[in-house]
Structure formats: C-alpha cells, structure tokens
C-alpha cells in the first residue's frame, strides 16, 4: 500500500519487523585544480592579450594614412597652427611667425612678390568651389602638381608588322613614334575686398567668404582660357589648336578634326541633326564611352527645338536627379564660354574631354594683404598658377558653321 513502510517477516514467526535502513555510500569529495594549473591558464590568457595588442599596434603603425597615426597627427597639428596664424594675419595683419609655419605646412618655394600661401584646407576649398562653377573642370582631367616642370610622353603609333613565310627573311620593322607634351601655364589673380569692421567681427566667417569670392573670380577667367586661351600668359585652350577636316588616320597629332555644317553662318534648314550624327561617329568607338556634347545656352535653345520625322524632340531631359539631359543618347555640358552660332564659329563640341584635355593646378595659392589702397576696405590680392594641355587630339570633334 502507498505511504506505508515496507514490512518483512522473521523466519521464526509471523511478527512483522521494520525494514533495515538502506546504506548510501558517502559522496566523493571534488578534486580541486592545483594552484600551478590556475597560474598556467592566467599566463596563457595574458600572453594572448599582449600578443593581440602588439599585432594591432604594429599593423596600425605600418599605415601612415590612418587617422591618428603619428605622422598624420604631427602634420594636422602643423596645418592647424598655420591656419591659426594665417587667420590672425587676415584679420589683424599680424604675421609674426607665419613664414615659419608656412614653410612647415606647405612644401612650395617663397615667391618674390611676397604674400603668404593660404592654408591647405583653404586651398582645397577654393579648388572644390572652382570645380562646382567650372564646366571644364567638371569634365576634364584635373592634375595637381608641385612644380611646372611636368612632361608627358605620348605614343603616336607607327609600329609596323607583317606576314612572312616560315623560312623567309624578316625585314626590319618601323619603330613607334613618341611626342613629348608640356602644359602651358599662366598666373591668374583675384582681388576681393572686405571691410576691417567685418574682419573684426568674430562671427564673420572670413575663410568661407574669401574662398567663395576668389573661386568666382578664378572660374570666370579660367573657363574662357581652357577653351579659347592663346597660350600667352594663360593656358592654351582646347579651341585654340589647329583644326582640319582630315580624319584621324591622316591628321597630324595636335590638330583637331572639324566637320562643317554646310551653311556659312548656322545650321542647315533641312535635317540639321544629321550633322550631329556625323559628329558622333567621327569619334572612335573607344572615345565615345563617356563622351558628351558641349555648347552654350543659346546654341542649346536652338538644338532643343529640333525634331525627328515623327515630330519627337531630339533633346531628352534627365529623368533622375543629377543626370544630365541628352541629345541622341549623349549627355550635354552647358558652357557659356562656348562660341555662339555664327559665321566660321565652332558652337558645338562632342568628345571625351577627360582624355582630350588636362588641367593642371600648381599647389600653393598665395595672398597679399593690402589695407592701404582702398580704405576702409582690406584687399587680398590672391594669385594661383594654372595650366592646360591637349593630350589626345582624337578624343574630341568640332562642328563648325562653314560651307563645306
């Protein structure tokens, strides 16, 4: 029965007796880890931690460009000191120690006309603003250099080959021809003015205001030079190079190919878009990847009205934010420095400008503070060396208003 103690009977009688107690063996005591084992584990953990720290430190030290690297920290500190000294000079005219800070922060020579190099951060901001305002900087390749002694070697082709029999004599083949290119530099300047009262205002962001004014004045001068500059005290522009109707295979290097509209002072009255199609396929297939149209607003307003045989406009708006509008499937760069439609004018370009034309920025924009000439204004005469160079004369084509 449940909850009843089990019973058993003695052999000599029927009197029940209680069951004998069940003996449970005592639990074995747990073994403890010896002290030397614990110490061994702690040593192993410590070795792993120290090894990981050393590995991280060595890998970090091997990367000089990482944030917080010793070299970067020192460079950032020098640039910050230079910027602080430059701002003090801008606001108060106090240039104590600025020459030494400039020499440490920027590796450019001191120019004879005086002034001080703008801080690296300010230099970058001006170049960034220039790119936003300059169509040529947006589409051409921009190279930053420390000296104007720049050369580029271009392969003009000319290597010959041929078929030959197994045992026939092999005649000597022609070797490749090369051309050495050198950019043409000029000095561009701006002379923005700020009142001394504004400079004394601690809440007036003199850096941003000066950068914006300088960039606007630089962009206006640069844009025209990169297209039509004659190479005298300014870059030699893209359109200033010799032009010819010859095709790529026969035209001399450095000469641009132009196609004529057939009308002395404009476009054809019938099917004018045919000239644009010819311009596209005059460019080699490899150059058409990334190619764009370039024209000013007046020319674009004319071409936007052209239609195909079904009455559809050839111009197509960009459907996504930041995507350019298109003509015949290629993007459009609107550049107000391009010529208007007119007699012997070249109002339309088509090409891969990053391969055709390079822009060169020499490091070191310099400013000269002038608080005397036009009181109460303080002028900042700012100069910059910039150059341009035609690199590939086959990468861009020109549409010219002229009789064929």
């Amino acid at each position: 029965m449940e909850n009843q103690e089990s019973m058993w009977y003695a052999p000599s009688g029927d009197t029940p007796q209680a069951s004998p107690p069940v003996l449970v063996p005592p639990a074995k005591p747990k073994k403890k880890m010896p002290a030397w084992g614990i110490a061994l584990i702690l040593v192993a953990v410590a070795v792993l931690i120290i090894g990981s720290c050393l590995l991280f430190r060595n890998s970090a030290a091997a990367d000089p460009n990482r944030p917080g690297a010793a070299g970067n920290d020192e460079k950032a500190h020098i640039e910050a000191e230079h910027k602080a000294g430059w701002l003090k000079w801008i606001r108060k005219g106090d240039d104590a120690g600025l020459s030494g800070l400039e020499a440490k922060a920027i590796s450019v020579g001191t120019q004879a006309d005086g002034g001080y190099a703008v801080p690296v951060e300010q230099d970058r901001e001006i170049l960034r603003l220039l790119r936003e305002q300059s169509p040529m900087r947006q589409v051409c390749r921009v190279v930053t250099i420390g000296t104007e002694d720049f050369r580029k070697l271009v392969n003009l082709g000319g290597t010959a080959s041929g078929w030959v029999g197994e045992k026939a004599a092999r005649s000597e083949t022609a070797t490749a021809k090369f051309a050495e290119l050198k950019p043409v530099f000029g000095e561009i300047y701006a002379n923005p003015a700020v009142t001394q009262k504004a400079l004394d205002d601690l809440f007036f962001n003199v850096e941003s205001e000066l950068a914006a004014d300088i960039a606007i004045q630089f962009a206006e001068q640069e844009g025209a030079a990169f297209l039509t500059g004659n190479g005298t005290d300014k870059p030699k522009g893209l359109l200033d190079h010799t032009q010819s109707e010859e095709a790529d295979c026969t035209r001399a290097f450095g000469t641009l190919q132009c196609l004529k509209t057939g009308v002395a002072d404009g476009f054809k009255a019938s099917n004018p878009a045919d000239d644009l199609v010819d311009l596209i396929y005059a460019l080699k297939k490899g150059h058409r990847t990334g190619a764009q149209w370039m024209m000013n607003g007046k020319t674009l307003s004319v071409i936007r009205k052209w239609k195909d045989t079904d009455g559809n406009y050839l111009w197509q708006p960009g459907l996504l934010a930041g995507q350019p509008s298109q003509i015949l499937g290629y993007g459009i760069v609107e550049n107000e420095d391009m010529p208007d439609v007119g007699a012997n004018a070249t109002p339309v370009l088509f090409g891969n400008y990053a391969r055709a034309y390079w822009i060169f920025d020499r490091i070191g924009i310099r400013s000269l503070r002038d608080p005397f000439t036009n009181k109460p204004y303080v002028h900042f005469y700012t100069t910059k060396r910039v150059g341009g160079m035609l690199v590939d004369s086959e990468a861009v084509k020109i549409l010219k208003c002229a009789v064929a």
Side-chain angles (χ1 to χ4, degrees), residues 36-37 103 322 339:
W36 61 266

Side-chain angles (χ1 to χ4, degrees), residues 85-94 98 118 196 199 206-207 210 367 369 378 380:
W86 183 79
L87 286 175
K88 185 179 179 181
W89 171 70
I90 286 289
R91 292 185 181 273
K92 301 296 183 182
D94 183 0
L98 184 55
V118 302
Q196 184 61 56
L199 294 175
V206 63
E207 304 167 71
L210 283 178
S367 288
R369 192 178 193 272
V378 178
F380 296 94

Side-chain angles (χ1 to χ4, degrees), residues 19 53 122 126 177 260 272 318 353 376 387:
S19 301
C53 292
Q122 186 80 350
I126 292 173
K177 298 178 181 179
K260 296 181 178 179
Y353 308 103

Side-chain angles (χ1 to χ4, degrees), residues 74-291:
E74 182 179 359
K75 182 179 179 182
H77 179 68
I78 292 173
E79 291 180 357
E81 283 188 335
H82 177 221
K83 180 180 177 181
W86 183 79
L87 286 175
K88 185 179 179 181
W89 171 70
I90 286 289
R91 292 185 181 273
K92 301 296 183 182
D94 183 0
D95 61 352
L98 184 55
S99 296
L101 293 173
E102 175 186 282
K104 292 180 181 179
I106 305 175
S107 300
V108 294
T110 301
Q111 298 191 5
D113 57 358
Y116 294 100
V118 302
V120 174
E121 181 181 341
Q122 186 80 350
D123 195 311
R124 291 171 181 163
E125 177 66 9
I126 292 173
L127 293 179
R128 184 188 67 81
L129 293 173
L130 273 175
R131 188 182 186 281
E132 291 180 355
Q133 300 179 38
S134 171
M136 290 294 286
R137 284 183 174 271
Q138 292 171 13
V139 296
C140 297
R141 181 173 178 180
V142 180
V143 182
T144 302
I145 58 177
T147 174
E148 295 181 17
D149 189 22
F150 180 90
R151 301 288 189 278
K152 179 175 175 59
L153 201 63
V154 177
N155 188 348
L156 303 182
T159 303
S161 61
W163 296 97
V164 67
E166 182 180 357
K167 298 182 179 180
R170 273 73 171 169
S171 59
E172 183 179 355
T173 59
T175 57
K177 298 178 181 179
F178 295 89
E180 185 181 71
L181 304 181
K182 180 182 179 182
V184 179
F185 282 85
E187 184 169 286
I188 187 173
Y189 75 91
N191 197 21
V194 184
T195 64
Q196 184 61 56
K197 188 174 181 179
L199 294 175
D200 292 337
D201 185 355
L202 296 178
F203 294 97
F204 176 68
N205 192 334
V206 63
E207 304 167 71
S208 297
E209 292 301 321
L210 283 178
D213 289 345
I214 292 169
I216 290 173
Q217 295 183 40
F218 279 178
E220 291 175 353
Q221 297 296 323
E222 281 188 354
F226 293 147
L227 272 177
T228 59
N230 58 12
T232 302
D233 298 329
K234 65 183 69 173
K236 187 174 179 64
L238 183 61
L239 291 176
D240 192 64
H241 291 78
T242 305
Q243 300 175 14
S244 169
E245 295 183 69
E246 294 180 277
D248 291 344
C249 57
T250 58
R251 194 176 67 257
F253 177 80
T255 301
L256 300 176
Q257 183 181 8
C258 69
L259 279 65
K260 296 181 178 179
T261 62
V263 180
D265 58 355
F267 302 111
K268 292 182 293 190
S270 177
N271 299 323
D274 289 352
D275 291 332
L276 301 185
V277 175
D278 293 339
L279 207 63
I280 291 174
Y281 291 100
L283 200 67
K284 291 182 178 179
K285 184 177 184 299
H287 289 146
R288 290 201 298 268
T289 302

